[in-house]
Structures are given as C-alpha cells and as structure tokens.
Amino acid sequence: MPLLEGSVGVEDLILLEPLDEESLIKNLQLRYEKKEIYTYIGNVVISMNPYQQLPIYGPEFIAKYRDYTFYELKPHIYALANVAYQSLKDRDRDQCILITGESGAGKTEASKLVMSYVAAVCGKGEQVNSVKEQLLQSNPVLEAFGNAKTIRNDNSSRFGKYMDIEFDFKGSPLGGVITNYLLEKSRVVKQLKGERNFHIFYQLLAGADTQLLKALKLEEDARGYAYLNGDVSRVNGMDDASNFRAVQNAMAVIGFSEEEIRQVLEVTALVLKLGNVKLADEFQANGLPASGVCDGKGIQEIGEMMGLNSAELEKALCSRTMETGKEKVVTVLNVIQAQYARDALAKNIYSRLFDWIVNRINESIKVGTGEKRKVMGVLDIYGFEILEDNSFEQFVINYCNEKLQQVFIELTLKEEQEEYKREGIPWTKVEYFDNGIICDLIEHSQRGILAMLDEECLRPGVVSDSTFLAKLNQLFSKHSHYESKVTQNAQRQYDRTMGLSCFRICHYAGKVTYNVTSFIDKNNDLLFRDLSQTMWKAQHPLLHSLFPEGNPKEASLKRPPTAGTQFKNSVAILMKNLYSKNPNYIRCIKPNDQQQQGRFTSELVMVQARYLGLLENVRVRRAGYAFRQAYKPFLERYRLLSRSTWPRWNGEDREGVEKVLGSLILSSEELAYGRTKIFIRSPKTLFYLEEQRRLRLQQLATLIQKVYRGWRCRTHYQQMRKSQILISAWFRGNKQKKHYGKIRSSVLLIQAFVRGWKARKNYRKYFRSGAAITLANFIYQSITQKFLLNLKKNLPSTKVLDNTWPAAPYRCFNTANQELQHLFYQWKCKKYRDQLSPKQVQTLREKLCASELFKGKKASYPQSVPVPFRGDYVGLQGNPKLQRLKGREEGPVLVADAVKKVNRGNGKTSSRILLLTKGHVILTDAKKSQAQIVIKLEDVAGVSVTSLEDGLFSLHLSEMSSAASKGDILLISDHLVELLTKMYQAVLDATQRQLPVTVTEKFSVRFKEGSVAVKVTQGPQGSGNRKLTCKKKGSSSMEVTVR
C-alpha cells in the first residue's frame, strides 16, 4: 500500500473517500499540479501527460524500482513494468500491458518507457543487446511511417500497435512480433486544417540530400505537393532532417538492406507524385463524359519509377474493367471517379507499404520455432473517441475500446475471484455494468451493425448510406442502446443534435453520434482490379510484391473481405491473445488541449475519465474488500498499535495481526483473515488505522525525545566534568612549570654575574687597566692612515667635469669619504676659476643667469648654451651714428641687435635696431639711425616670452613712464636669450630689483587703444629658421603662429 504520510493526495484511488467523479478529478489535479503524474487504481496505472521532461526516469530510477515491490514506492510506470517482467520471469506467466488513451495523452511515450525499462533490467550479452537494440529501433521507423501531426498532438499515432516481446527462460529477450491495426490511410490524400500528413513525407523532403531527391524526382519544397499540407510543413521542436537520418539508421540496425531502404523511399516518393497527377474532363465520341491526364511529364516520371508504360498507367486511372463469368466490359471514368481511383491507389500503396515494413521488421526480430519462450505483449491503441463529426473510423475504434473494457471487467473480476478463492474468503457477486450487450449490438454475426454493413455492401441493386441507416432503424428500433432520428420520432422525442443521416450508440463511456456518410465506401475500401493488375505489372520489385492479387493467373472474382470484417477478425484475435495473458493496464490522460505544461482542464479530464471508465474501474476493485496485504508487511507497519506486539513479536505473523486488530475497536464485518493476507473492506477502516498509527508515532517520538534529551544532558554533564578536571590539572601543571622556569632563569643570571665578576678580578692581575682602549685606538688610527694614503695615491683628475671618486674600504669611513669628495670638488672648481680672465668670468655669470631664467622653460634655450654672447650683432663699431645715440655717461652698449617690431594695428612687422645700455633701451630706425623710442630701465615693468622656439617677447612698461604713452612694445629677436639675460642683469644693477620674466603662450599687451590678448600657437613644422606670422583678430586679440 502507499505510505500515506507525506504523499500528495491519494496515491491509490481505491482508497479515495468519498468516491465520486468530482473527488476523483480533484485528486488527479492535486497530484498533477505537484508533478505527480502517476496514480494507481489497484494495479492499474493512470498516467497524466506532463508536456515536459521530468527528472523521474533513467538508470537511477530503473534501479530503484527494480529492487522494490509495487506499493513500496511512489506510483510509477516503472513499477508496473517491473511487476509484469518479474511475473513473467519468476512465475512463468505471459504478460500483456494495455496502453489506452486519446490522441496526445502520451501512449507512445508510455510504451517507449515500458520497453526501455524491460531492456534495461533484462539480461546482457552481445546477442541479447542486438535483439534489444532492434526492438527499440523499431519505434522510430513505425513512428515515421505511422505517426502524424494532428490538431491535438504533434506526434499522434495513426494506427494501433500490438507488440509481443518474447523471452527465454532466463528472462532475456529473443525477439518479437508486431501487429498493426487500422492505419488511417485516408490521411494520405487529405488532412484537416492545421494537420500534417505522415512524418515520413516531410522527413524525406527535409533530410534527403540533393542527389537522393534528384533520383526520386522530388523537390525540397513541401508546398509543391497536393497531398501535403504546406501551411504546416514544420512542427516546433521537431527536426525532420535529423529524424530522417535517425530513421535510416534505425532501418539499418533492424536489418534492412540498402536496396530495401532505397525501394521503400521510392514507393514513398511515388505516393507523393501521384497526388500531383491532374485529371481533366474529356468527352467520348458518343458525347459521354470521360477523363484524361493533363500533365504528361508527371505521369511519365511516375511510370519510369514504377517501371511501367505511362499510357498503360493512364488507362488504368481513367477506365475500369468489369468482369462477369463470360465477358469483360470496359467503362470510362469521369473526372470525379478517376480522382477517386487515383486517391484509392495512393492510399492502398501506402497502406500496403506500411504493412510490408511491419512484416519486414517481424522477419528481423522473429524467434526460431524450436525455442521455448515467454511472451510480454504491449498494446498501444487509440482511446475512446467522440468528435464533432464521428465516422466509420471512430465507430471501429470505439468498438475496439468496448471489447477492451469488456476484457478489463472480466479479467479484473476473475483475478479478484481467484484471489478470494486462494485466500479462502467467500466470494460475493459484484454488481457492475456489463457492456456485452453493446458488443453484441456491433459485432453479432447475423444481427450486428457490422454484419448489416457488410450485407448492404454485398447486396445487388441500389446501395447507399441511407439504405444502410434505414436497415439499422428497422432492425434496432427497440434496442435500448441504439438511437436515431426515426426511433426518436417513434418515441415522440425531440433532439436537435441528431441529424437525419446519423445514429447514436450508448457506449459504456457515453453516447456517441455517428454520421453514416461514407460508411459504405470506407467499409468496401475498393481498389479497381485494373489498378491492381497494373501495379503487379510494375518492374519495381517492392511495388510489384505489394499487389499479389493483380497476377492474372491468381485472379479471383471473389470479393475481398470488407474493412469492418477485417478489423472485427483482428479484434477477435487480439481478444483471444489478451485472455491468454495476465493483463496490466496503463490509462493515459491529457490534461489540456493546448499541450501546455502545468495546465489542468477539469472538463477535458472528466470526459477522458468517463471514456476510460476510471470510476467504474475503482468501483469494481472496491466491490468486495478495498484493501488487502500480506500479514508480514501489515504487522511490520501496525505492530506498534498493540502492547502485545510492540516492541517485539516472536510469534506467527497472522497471530500478531489478530493481536493488533483485536486491541482496536473494529467491526468484524470490516475484516477478513485469509491464508496469507488480511482483507479490509472499507477505506475508512484503513484511514482509521493510519490515524491511530500517526498518533502512536507521535507518542513514541515524544518518548524517544524524552529519553534522548535525558541521555544527552547526562552525557554532556559527564563530559563537562571530565573536561573541568582535565583543564584544572593542565592549568596547575602549567603554572608550576612557569614558576620553575622563572626560578631557573634567575639562578642562571646570578651565576653568570658571579662568573663574570670572578673573571674580571682574575684579569686585572695579568693586564694593565686601559690597555684594550689603547690597542683599539692604535688599530683605528692605523686603518685611518692606510685609508688616507690609498686615497692620496688614487685621487682622480683635476678636471671639473670628472666626478669619479674611489669608494671607502669600510663603512665607518663613508661619511668622511663623502666630505672629502665634496672638499676635493670645491678645490677643483676654485682652481679652475682662478685660471679664468675677468671677461670669461663675466661670460659665465651671464650664462648662469640665462640658465636660471630659461632652462626647462624655453625650447630655444639648449641651442643658445654653446654659443657665446657677442653683444654686437649690427656692426656698432663701424656705425658712428648709432654710437652717438647713447649718451656719453651711459658707458658701453651692452647689446646691439636687429629686431622686428610688431605693428599694433595690423600685426605686420618692421625692422628696428635695439640698443641696450646700462640705463636705457633704445629703439631706432634701421635706415635713418634716429632714436624713435627711448625707455629707461626703471620703466620696464616686466617681460613676457613663450616656451616655443621663437624670438617673440613683449616689453611691459610702467604706466607712469613717459615712454608708456603708446603702450607696451611687442618685438621679435633672433638672440632673445642673450638679450633678455643682459637686460635682466642691467635692470638688477640699475634699480636693485629683479626683472619679472613670464614664460607663457597667452599674455596681454597694453596698447594705446586698449589691451590686446596675444595667443601664440605652434604651426606645422617647416624647414630652416623659425618664422612668425602675426594676425590681428578683431580689436582685442592677436594670433601668432610659429612655423
């Protein structure tokens, strides 16, 4: 049984209280929202499609469920697969797993999980692994040719599949047999809006390479084929190209040869190309309508692929031969009839190709006849269907589900009855709905609906769907599970939902209204004999083998069995197969129509629960005793409820269970003691036991906590006491060690002082006082003398620029060595200065002053360093006029230089001669040699120069001076460094003040009209001497560019 503590909802619906449809749906919803997608009804598994990958599969979970029994872990599909496999292996009982549910409920995935579990737990070995791989690889092949995208499901199985997996006595797989049911071949020629044809068509177009497409005479675009719905050629999350490669690999693994794979793809391509054969109206000579093929190229390509004459194929499509006992009559088909023949041919080719693929897989995985084997069957078939428009397909599908429900009820009751008999408990008859009356209504050999349909198809005369419905109304007018418009009118009932061409059957899962339109055609499933014979004549080996009835030598005028009869016979064989095996059920449910994870639509799930008969299943399971369990696990779980069995019980298990239940207040009608199991009638009794167990567990937990806390406190106290004693012992020992250490160190210190005093006392007897100091001074003086003598021998040269100096031999002489080096350098400098003449001394002083003013500030300074200051750059000695401009008392001219004066109005320059004396700065015209501006040195307030390689400078004059009436003077000199250096010294000598020299690219010049801002910028590098370009910018600014 499930462990009820901590479980989500009720894991087994047999224990659901109250038992009704609403509580059942709510329990499924609660578990689904918590991602618990599996629920039990006894040994039946209900599987909800999660529409997402859940972390509950794989080797870890397979190993987990392999080691436990059915009810010991959470509900899971692995648990059912494990029970089926272990029963087959250990009890030698053939098993069958029935997987049902509507499209999109996850039947295909469930069958894959069952097969993957069985493949994982069965034996190992090279041959075994090969068989397992072939069985598993059959899935992608059958899915490609038998699955399609529908409105409800992107990978819907459009056929029923029953696979018998055969094992040897050790439980290792030997092979298997696959049986397919009712392929939806009408999908080949027509699909609903939003649906696709079978996957293989789209996979072939998307995954085949250019060479293969060319060989098959196909184009990649799916919109170019009439049989394909081009609007939905792709499905989200599905890679048709990679799936095509996977199908080819799977076919190779199964055992298909390369030639067989190529032929299968050729036949698939033929079906596609048949849909593009266009038929048009034609008329015979007598005026009767006929038909013909419009596109000759298309029919010719098809003929080439089939190995047929295109004219012969066209004749088979557009005419029909009727044979009687003695003569043949050729009838020409009109366009509608020819289109029907073309579509019928395409459907038959594809349906027979699918059957051939299934048979070919069976040949590869079949088991030798001489081996004894066990069988596990897996049935993956359509669930009960109620659509808006239900036709022949839904009729036979629902008939199959009626038979499966009948099997389920009968086998379930039989299993219950056998268990009661084994345990020696009286069996009481269970009241349930027996759907045998509905099965007889459909399948009765003489008075069933299928029999009436076959009779109507075979009888001569005018036959139509209306005559078939009339016969049903006449035959079943009083049947309790049959309704139609005629029977309702007879009973004076008015039902707007019932059409004139419809009838209704009250199935076990609900009422279904069927439209009889096309019942006759779909049941006949006719393929004209001309087409069969033409296909048999084809040179294509596979296509030729698909139509054996086309052989004229084996031609038979006997009508082939109808589709309904074939399906009825297949269902009968299936039912016989199921009755011979032990059944296991998986009921698949889809929670919503949008394929969204986490979304639960109660109305949709309720409809599916009715179709699957879940509530009926629960009621049948609960008809007698709802719960039963072996004595040993029951006693293990509930022995704590009785003092007689807790904490130990040494007697028999049954006796212990009787002691436990005897100590509780339970009615004797609720319990039954079997030979090996205890039976409990009502879930309420089980819940009462669980509640008592929960309360008892709380009491025991409290008791355990009390004992544990006492033990923990005692243990803690004892540990604290031991720790305190240990810490005290260590502390006292450490304290004594420290005290001993102090005493010992003191004793050693006293001993050392005493020994030292004795040694010094003995030392004074043999040596004079102060001898050590005298020796030390002598040694130091000797080292010093040696150091000075070595330094004398290794003195560097007397050149001023030579900075070498020998290093000190000992660190104690480092300071003295540095002082000696400094003194020696000063001595060299003085000696050098003493050798200089007064004129050289003056020149060096001027160079020193220039360095202080411009070093690191003016870009042209480094060029001026090696050039001596001349002073006269205009030939002053040869020009008496210029000499007369200075006064006699002025002394010699310090600098005579040709400069350029910047015009304050337009920025143009004019040549001038500048004379610098000890008291004045004189500017004169270069041509007239007349003084134009005479400035006293005390009137010079400052000088502004730039940091660039130019000769521009500005003389800022004091506002109170007589020469300042016209403002500051802006000049350009090629000897700017020399000129300003001597001007600086002259101002200092004349006025005892330092002349301010400002180095900047932006300065203000005061002119007569006002102040002008001068901005100096560096222009492009030119060749040769630097050139200045002055431009006046408005009335208050001037730009100077150095090139």
Side-chain angles (χ1 to χ4, degrees):
M1 62 163 280
L3 301 177
L4 299 181
E5 305 95 37
S7 63
V8 178
V10 179
E11 294 181 345
D12 192 339
L13 294 180
I14 292 176
L15 305 178
L16 185 66
E17 283 291 338
L19 179 59
D20 54 37
E21 196 173 62
E22 182 180 357
S23 62
L24 186 146
I25 299 302
K26 284 184 177 180
N27 186 70
L28 292 177
Q29 181 175 4
L30 174 63
R31 292 180 58 77
Y32 179 75
E33 290 173 349
K34 298 295 184 180
K35 297 185 179 179
E36 297 289 345
I37 63 171
Y38 296 113
T39 308
Y40 289 150
I41 302 177
N43 59 358
V44 177
V45 175
I46 300 174
S47 172
M48 303 284 290
N49 193 338
Y51 294 117
Q52 60 177 314
Q53 292 293 332
L54 296 179
I56 57 174
Y57 307 105
E60 178 184 353
F61 285 88
I62 289 175
K64 187 176 180 182
Y65 279 87
R66 181 179 185 178
D67 297 331
Y68 288 88
T69 58
F70 192 74
Y71 287 115
E72 287 184 298
L73 297 174
K74 289 183 179 181
H76 201 290
I77 196 171
Y78 285 166
L80 182 136
N82 183 60
V83 167
Y85 179 72
Q86 296 300 332
S87 180
L88 174 138
K89 180 181 177 183
D90 300 335
R91 301 181 186 176
D92 203 16
R93 295 178 63 184
D94 289 348
Q95 301 293 313
C96 177
I97 299 176
L98 283 72
I99 306 173
T100 56
E102 69 171 61
S103 178
K107 301 187 300 296
T108 302
E109 290 301 318
S111 65
K112 289 180 183 177
L113 290 172
V114 170
M115 292 182 66
S116 64
Y117 179 87
V118 173
V121 301
C122 63
K124 308 294 181 182
E126 184 177 350
Q127 182 178 358
V128 172
N129 290 337
S130 174
V131 172
K132 289 194 292 187
E133 188 66 19
Q134 287 181 335
L135 291 172
L136 293 175
Q137 290 299 325
S138 65
N139 279 325
V141 177
L142 295 178
E143 282 186 19
F145 287 89
N147 288 23
K149 179 195 181 320
T150 64
I151 297 175
R152 298 182 176 183
N153 184 8
D154 290 344
N155 188 30
S156 175
S157 297
R158 308 316 299 161
F159 69 104
K161 179 180 71 174
Y162 177 76
M163 174 183 283
D164 267 335
I165 307 173
E166 301 179 350
F167 300 83
D168 61 12
F169 69 96
K170 297 178 293 184
S172 299
L174 297 172
V177 178
I178 300 174
T179 306
N180 62 300
Y181 299 95
L182 199 65
L183 176 72
E184 187 189 16
K185 56 186 177 183
S186 60
R187 179 171 294 273
V188 174
V189 300
K190 185 178 180 182
Q191 307 95 41
L192 297 177
K193 185 177 180 181
E195 296 190 350
R196 292 206 317 178
N197 209 322
F198 292 101
H199 291 327
I200 186 60
F201 295 117
Y202 303 93
Q203 293 174 0
L204 175 60
L205 297 180
D209 55 29
T210 307
Q211 184 178 359
L212 179 58
L213 288 176
K214 184 177 180 181
L216 298 178
K217 305 184 189 311
L218 295 176
E219 297 179 359
E220 190 174 348
D221 190 2
R223 291 173 294 185
Y225 298 96
Y227 282 166
L228 300 184
N229 194 344
D231 297 336
V232 284
S233 59
R234 297 191 178 186
V235 180
N236 292 333
M238 187 178 292
D239 187 350
D240 289 325
S242 63
N243 288 343
F244 178 71
R245 292 188 290 272
V247 170
Q248 288 181 306
N249 293 335
M251 294 175 78
V253 170
I254 293 171
F256 284 73
S257 65
E258 292 185 3
E259 180 66 19
E260 288 174 328
I261 295 175
R262 185 183 61 80
Q263 291 178 11
V264 168
L265 297 179
E266 287 174 348
V267 174
T268 306
L270 280 175
V271 175
L272 275 181
K273 297 187 73 64
L274 272 175
N276 287 357
V277 174
K278 295 181 180 179
L279 301 164
D281 285 316
E282 293 182 359
F283 292 94
Q284 302 181 60
N286 56 8
L288 293 177
S291 59
V293 176
C294 298
D295 185 9
K297 181 181 178 182
I299 198 72
Q300 184 177 358
E301 289 181 353
I302 295 174
E304 290 175 359
M305 295 177 67
M306 289 182 175
L308 281 173
N309 189 336
S310 58
E312 189 174 359
L313 178 59
E314 182 178 357
K315 179 182 177 182
L317 288 173
C318 299
S319 63
R320 179 184 180 188
T321 303
M322 305 290 291
E323 295 187 21
T324 60
K326 297 182 180 180
E327 60 182 4
K328 294 182 180 181
V329 178
V330 178
T331 304
V332 178
L333 304 179
N334 59 31
V335 172
I336 296 177
Q337 293 171 333
Q339 289 174 348
Y340 173 83
R342 176 199 64 192
D343 292 345
L345 177 61
K347 289 188 290 185
N348 270 273
I349 289 176
Y350 191 82
S351 176
R352 297 183 187 208
L353 173 65
F354 186 77
D355 292 339
W356 182 88
I357 291 174
V358 172
N359 292 331
R360 180 63 183 81
I361 294 174
N362 287 337
E363 287 181 11
S364 296
I365 63 177
K366 67 181 179 180
V367 184
T369 55
E371 300 184 48
K372 184 181 179 181
R373 49 190 178 269
K374 308 171 186 178
V375 179
M376 176 186 290
V378 180
L379 177 64
D380 174 6
I381 202 165
Y382 329 88
F384 200 87
E385 287 190 355
I386 301 181
L387 307 179
E388 292 183 4
D389 185 16
N390 300 288
S391 187
F392 180 76
E393 291 84 2
Q394 284 70 45
F395 176 73
V396 294
I397 288 170
N398 293 342
Y399 158 62
C400 180
N401 278 272
E402 283 286 354
K403 295 295 291 182
L404 291 175
Q405 178 68 6
Q406 187 180 36
V407 171
F408 173 76
I409 297 295
E410 291 181 3
L411 292 180
T412 300
L413 291 178
K414 181 181 178 182
E415 184 182 354
E416 289 280 297
Q417 189 173 2
E418 288 179 353
E419 185 173 16
Y420 279 45
K421 185 177 179 181
R422 285 196 306 269
E423 295 295 325
I425 295 175
W427 170 257
T428 56
K429 186 177 181 181
V430 177
E431 296 296 333
Y432 67 95
F433 171 68
D434 185 1
N435 67 339
I437 186 173
I438 303 174
C439 296
D440 287 341
L441 171 65
I442 299 172
E443 68 177 2
H444 194 278
S445 59
Q446 296 179 355
R447 296 176 58 83
I449 294 177
L450 288 176
M452 294 299 103
L453 182 60
D454 285 351
E455 182 178 321
E456 195 67 13
C457 291
L458 297 175
R459 77 176 179 85
V462 179
V463 177
S464 66
D465 298 316
S466 300
T467 59
F468 166 63
L469 181 60
K471 181 172 290 188
L472 294 184
N473 292 334
Q474 179 183 359
L475 189 61
F476 304 117
S477 59
K478 296 182 180 180
H479 198 288
S480 59
H481 291 272
Y482 177 86
E483 295 179 12
S484 69
K485 200 70 174 178
V486 173
T487 61
Q488 287 180 348
N489 292 338
Q491 298 174 7
R492 297 182 180 181
Q493 296 178 359
Y494 180 71
D495 186 356
R496 187 178 295 175
T497 61
M498 179 71 76
L500 292 175
S501 61
C502 300
F503 68 92
R504 182 178 295 155
I505 295 179
C506 299
H507 289 280
Y508 77 92
K511 295 182 178 181
V512 184
T513 302
Y514 300 101
N515 192 332
V516 297
T517 303
S518 301
F519 258 57
I520 298 293
D521 288 340
K522 292 178 179 179
N523 188 50
N524 276 326
D525 194 21
L526 287 178
L527 180 67
F528 297 151
R529 185 176 288 108
D530 303 70
L531 291 171
S532 298
Q533 293 176 351
T534 303
M535 292 301 102
W536 185 83
K537 294 177 183 177
Q539 299 299 314
H540 192 280
L542 178 56
L543 187 64
H544 172 83
S545 66
L546 297 180
F547 294 88
E549 75 278 10
N551 187 352
K553 297 180 181 179
E554 299 179 5
S556 173
L557 299 180
K558 184 179 179 181
R559 190 182 184 95
T562 61
T565 300
Q566 293 178 34
F567 189 75
K568 176 183 173 182
N569 295 336
S570 298
V571 169
I573 296 172
L574 176 63
M575 295 302 113
K576 182 179 179 181
N577 204 344
L578 297 181
Y579 276 117
S580 66
K581 295 179 174 63
N582 182 51
N584 303 272
Y585 299 92
I586 301 174
R587 307 296 203 191
C588 297
I589 296 176
K590 66 175 182 179
N592 61 76
D593 276 328
Q594 291 75 30
Q595 303 180 30
Q596 294 180 359
Q597 62 184 38
R599 184 171 182 178
F600 188 94
T601 307
S602 301
E603 295 78 8
L604 178 64
V605 176
M606 186 178 295
V607 170
Q608 294 176 81
R610 290 173 185 167
Y611 295 171
L612 295 172
L614 299 186
L615 200 59
E616 188 72 17
N617 293 0
V618 177
R619 285 174 179 154
V620 169
R621 292 282 182 176
R622 287 176 57 167
Y625 292 92
F627 174 78
R628 71 289 311 268
Q629 192 174 27
Y631 288 124
K632 185 174 182 179
F634 186 89
L635 178 62
E636 190 67 28
R637 184 170 181 81
Y638 296 108
R639 64 191 177 95
L640 52 85
L641 298 180
S642 174
R643 293 185 177 181
S644 302
T645 56
W646 181 261
R648 291 185 183 85
W649 173 253
N650 298 322
E652 295 292 332
D653 293 335
R654 173 170 177 166
E655 184 182 352
V657 172
E658 291 175 350
K659 290 283 187 182
V660 171
L661 297 177
S663 64
L664 302 172
I665 305 174
L666 296 174
S667 172
S668 59
E669 296 178 355
E670 286 290 316
L671 305 173
Y673 296 94
R675 293 188 177 93
T676 61
K677 294 181 180 179
I678 175 68
F679 288 74
I680 298 176
R681 186 179 299 278
S682 170
K684 292 181 179 179
T685 304
L686 183 64
F687 293 146
Y688 171 75
L689 288 174
E690 284 295 321
E691 180 64 18
Q692 294 299 315
R693 182 176 181 272
R694 186 182 64 81
L695 295 175
R696 179 60 176 157
L697 284 174
Q698 291 180 353
Q699 295 174 0
L700 293 175
T702 303
L703 177 62
I704 292 171
Q705 288 174 352
K706 180 182 71 172
V707 173
Y708 171 73
R709 290 192 186 103
W711 169 83
R712 188 176 65 176
C713 289
R714 285 192 300 273
T715 304
H716 181 66
Y717 167 74
Q718 291 172 358
Q719 289 178 344
M720 292 287 288
R721 185 172 180 273
K722 290 180 180 178
S723 300
Q724 186 272 331
I725 293 172
L726 183 62
I727 292 171
S728 298
W730 277 95
F731 177 77
R732 286 193 295 269
N734 190 52
K735 184 177 179 182
Q736 292 300 322
K737 287 179 182 177
K738 286 183 177 180
H739 181 64
Y740 168 76
K742 288 181 179 180
I743 293 175
R744 185 174 181 275
S745 61
S746 300
V747 169
L748 292 175
L749 182 61
I750 293 171
Q751 289 177 349
F753 272 102
V754 171
R755 292 191 187 99
W757 173 78
K758 287 183 177 180
R760 285 191 296 276
K761 185 178 180 181
N762 294 331
Y763 171 79
R764 291 192 189 100
K765 294 179 180 179
Y766 303 104
F767 298 96
R768 288 184 303 166
S769 176
I773 297 174
T774 304
L775 289 173
N777 289 337
F778 175 77
I779 293 171
Y780 182 74
Q781 290 173 359
S782 299
I783 294 173
T784 304
Q785 183 181 13
K786 185 177 180 180
F787 163 64
L788 294 174
L789 291 173
N790 288 334
L791 184 60
K792 177 184 176 182
K793 294 177 182 179
N794 297 319
L795 282 176
S797 66
T798 57
K799 294 181 180 179
V800 177
L801 299 179
D802 186 4
N803 292 324
T804 60
W805 188 257
Y810 305 105
R811 282 187 294 177
C812 60
F813 296 134
N814 283 345
T815 304
N817 194 41
Q818 291 174 359
E819 290 294 330
L820 289 172
Q821 182 182 4
H822 181 63
L823 289 172
F824 183 75
Y825 180 72
Q826 288 182 336
W827 173 79
K828 284 197 301 184
C829 292
K830 183 169 184 312
K831 188 176 180 181
Y832 176 76
R833 288 196 300 271
D834 293 344
Q835 296 174 357
L836 296 175
S837 64
K839 185 177 181 180
Q840 289 176 324
V841 171
Q842 181 62 29
T843 301
L844 289 176
R845 284 178 178 173
E846 290 176 350
K847 287 291 184 178
L848 177 62
C849 181
S851 173
E852 292 175 350
L853 290 175
F854 300 109
K855 185 177 181 179
K857 301 177 183 179
K858 184 71 176 172
S860 59
Y861 168 74
Q863 301 172 3
S864 68
V865 172
V867 179
F869 292 165
R870 290 164 47 193
D872 183 8
Y873 294 98
V874 296
L876 185 64
Q877 297 300 327
N879 195 338
K881 293 181 179 181
L882 292 177
Q883 292 181 3
R884 286 195 295 270
L885 291 178
K886 70 179 184 66
R888 294 180 180 179
E889 66 279 1
E890 290 290 330
V893 176
L894 301 178
V895 177
D897 190 16
V899 299
K900 292 182 181 180
K901 180 176 177 294
V902 179
N903 191 298
R904 60 192 65 171
N906 53 17
K908 294 184 178 180
T909 59
S910 56
S911 299
R912 295 285 187 273
I913 294 175
L914 185 145
L915 301 178
L916 175 64
T917 66
K918 292 183 178 180
H920 294 84
V921 176
I922 303 170
L923 281 175
T924 179
D925 193 323
K927 296 179 180 179
K928 298 179 180 181
S929 299
Q930 295 179 355
Q932 292 184 341
I933 300 174
V934 179
I935 304 169
K936 294 181 179 180
L937 290 180
E938 56 263 24
D939 294 337
V940 179
V943 179
S944 294
V945 298
T946 70
S947 62
L948 306 176
E949 293 185 18
D950 62 302
L952 180 70
F953 68 97
S954 173
L955 288 179
H956 302 289
L957 304 182
S958 174
E959 295 182 1
M960 302 302 295
S961 66
S962 59
S965 59
K966 293 185 180 181
D968 297 340
I969 300 173
L970 197 61
L971 302 172
I972 300 173
S973 172
D974 292 337
H975 309 94
L976 180 137
V977 174
E978 179 181 354
L979 175 61
L980 294 184
T981 300
K982 290 188 176 183
M983 186 182 293
Y984 178 84
Q985 289 179 336
V987 171
L988 183 62
D989 294 341
T991 63
Q992 302 302 313
R993 68 180 177 89
Q994 294 181 349
L995 178 65
V997 179
T998 305
V999 181
T1000 178
E1001 275 69 50
K1002 294 181 181 179
F1003 53 87
S1004 179
V1005 179
R1006 184 173 56 81
F1007 288 159
K1008 182 178 181 181
E1009 293 81 4
S1011 179
V1012 175
V1014 179
K1015 180 181 179 183
V1016 183
T1017 59
Q1018 177 71 54
Q1021 295 291 335
S1023 59
N1025 297 328
R1026 297 289 178 181
K1027 293 183 180 180
L1028 294 180
T1029 304
C1030 301
K1031 291 184 180 180
K1032 190 75 177 293
K1033 298 288 185 179
S1035 60
S1036 60
S1037 64
M1038 179 182 292
E1039 279 191 5
V1040 180
T1041 304
V1042 181
R1043 299 179 183 275

